[in-house]
Amino acid sequence: MTALLPRSEPVAASASSRFLVLCGVLAVVPGMIHVFLPDGGAGVIAGIDLSRDAARTVSMFAWAGATQIAWGGMMLAIGLFHRALVPLALVLLLLEKTLHALSFWVLKPGDHHPPESYAVLVAVPVIALFLALALRRRG
């Protein structure tokens, strides 16, 4: 995998790179739940009523879980081995979580809020803080 990235000077671990590793773990674990739990966590964790169209809902959770696993793996690789890319990864993570928050609460609000809808409200400012730290460290 390292052959896919250009060579760069080693960058020491920082609070931002460690935070990105934590974010990677926090993406992979729910991704595995969405892919491997029989209901993808839709019913037992998110509390979604699966009495209608359960197969479609579970399939969408598995699709999202696969994306979470891939994105989480990338965050782990960057945080552990390609630290020069930490600011870029944090910008993309901030974009993702901001779009999640907007979707959950503004653009497409619903009457049901899974745990993630509350977690993004905390995650967005925390990610912004670690992004600012990463950018300040570079300057």
Side-chain angles (χ1 to χ4, degrees):
M1 178 151 114
T2 56
L4 298 174
L5 294 170
R7 292 182 190 258
S8 64
E9 295 297 317
V11 176
S14 65
S16 296
S17 66
R18 289 182 184 103
F19 174 73
L20 189 62
V21 169
L22 174 64
C23 290
V25 170
L26 293 176
V28 169
V29 170
M32 292 177 70
I33 289 169
H34 293 324
V35 170
F36 298 112
L37 206 64
D39 75 345
V44 298
I45 295 172
I48 295 173
D49 178 10
L50 296 175
S51 62
R52 290 183 0 179
D53 212 6
R56 184 183 318 232
T57 302
V58 172
S59 293
M60 289 188 321
F61 268 62
W63 170 82
T67 302
Q68 286 176 296
I69 292 168
W71 175 226
M74 186 179 74
M75 287 189 283
L76 287 168
I78 290 171
L80 293 171
F81 305 112
H82 302 286
R83 295 185 185 116
L85 298 172
V86 166
L88 173 62
L90 289 172
V91 164
L92 294 172
L93 183 59
L94 183 60
L95 174 64
E96 176 195 30
K97 296 304 180 186
T98 300
L99 291 171
H100 281 175
L102 284 171
S103 294
F104 282 132
W105 297 103
V106 178
L107 301 174
K108 299 174 191 225
D111 56 353
H112 177 78
H113 292 286
E116 177 70 8
S117 66
Y118 297 101
V120 295
L121 297 176
V122 174
V124 167
V126 173
I127 295 165
L129 170 68
F130 280 99
L131 174 59
L133 290 173
L135 293 173
R136 190 182 81 186
R137 187 170 190 235
R138 289 185 138 202

